[in-house]
């Protein structure tokens, strides 16, 4: 497994401006990775939702973004980390259409559908980490 072609970039998400910066960084990386316009839009939408979740539910956190090259595939990997309360019911949170009432209503399940790889690591009282990857076709 090769590392990213560029070092990972870490962005603080502590206000709405961080969500906007996250979208801009993801767009730049998606273009650099040569994702199609449709795939770029899917990744940016998922990133926006996850960044907003990090801010609203996690009380702020970070997004680490990197270009990755694995098994001959290039992609964009994003890692959202917060030290918030965690998600008590992961199955419920991943149910299609479930939302706690904020954000774009995509929820985690909508974000998961928009990307190729989706890993959720959470535990009440320990915070939440969501890692997503979109591969170039």
């Amino acid at each position: 497994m090769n590392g990213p072609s560029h070092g990972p970039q870490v962005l603080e998400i502590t206000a709405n401006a961080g969500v906007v910066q996250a979208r801009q960084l993801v767009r730049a990386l998606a273009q650099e990775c040569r994702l199609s316009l449709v795939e770029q839009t899917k990744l940016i939408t998922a990133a926006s939702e996850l960044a907003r979740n990090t801010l609203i539910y996690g009380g702020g956190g970070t997004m680490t973004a990197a270009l990755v090259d694995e098994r001959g595939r290039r992609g964009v990997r994003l890692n959202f980390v917060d030290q918030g309360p965690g998600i008590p019911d992961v199955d419920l949170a991943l149910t299609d259409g479930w939302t706690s009432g904020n954000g774009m209503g995509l929820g985690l399940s909508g974000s998961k559908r928009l990307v190729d790889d989706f890993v959720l690591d959470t535990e009440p009282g320990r915070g939440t980490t969501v890692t997503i990857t979109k591969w170039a076709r």
Side-chain angles (χ1 to χ4, degrees):
M1 181 166 101
N2 297 333
S5 59
H6 299 298
Q9 298 179 61
V10 180
L11 198 62
E12 295 284 330
I13 302 172
T14 54
N16 280 328
V19 176
V20 173
Q21 289 176 316
R23 288 175 62 96
Q24 292 168 342
L25 175 56
V26 171
R27 176 177 284 114
L29 288 174
Q31 289 170 344
E32 186 175 342
C33 189
R34 291 182 169 70
L35 293 180
S36 73
L37 194 55
V38 168
E39 299 303 314
Q40 287 179 41
T41 301
K42 288 179 180 179
L43 181 61
I44 293 163
T45 302
S48 184
E49 180 78 358
L50 294 172
R52 193 161 299 289
N53 284 356
T54 299
L55 180 62
I56 294 170
Y57 305 111
T62 59
M63 177 187 83
T64 303
L67 291 176
V68 289
D69 196 342
E70 291 178 5
R71 297 182 296 281
R73 301 187 299 176
R74 279 181 56 84
V76 179
R77 180 163 296 145
L78 308 173
N79 192 34
F80 297 86
V81 179
D82 70 58
Q83 302 302 317
I87 300 171
D89 189 337
V90 171
D91 290 338
L92 178 63
L94 287 172
T95 301
D96 279 354
W98 187 84
T99 175
S100 59
N102 295 309
M104 293 182 283
L106 281 178
L108 292 172
S109 66
S111 297
K112 182 177 183 178
R113 276 196 310 277
L114 292 170
V115 298
D116 299 315
D117 298 330
F118 181 97
V119 179
L120 172 63
D121 179 19
T122 186
E123 194 177 287
R126 190 175 55 81
T128 301
T129 299
V130 180
T131 304
I132 60 173
T133 309
K134 191 74 172 161
W135 298 106
R137 303 283 180 245

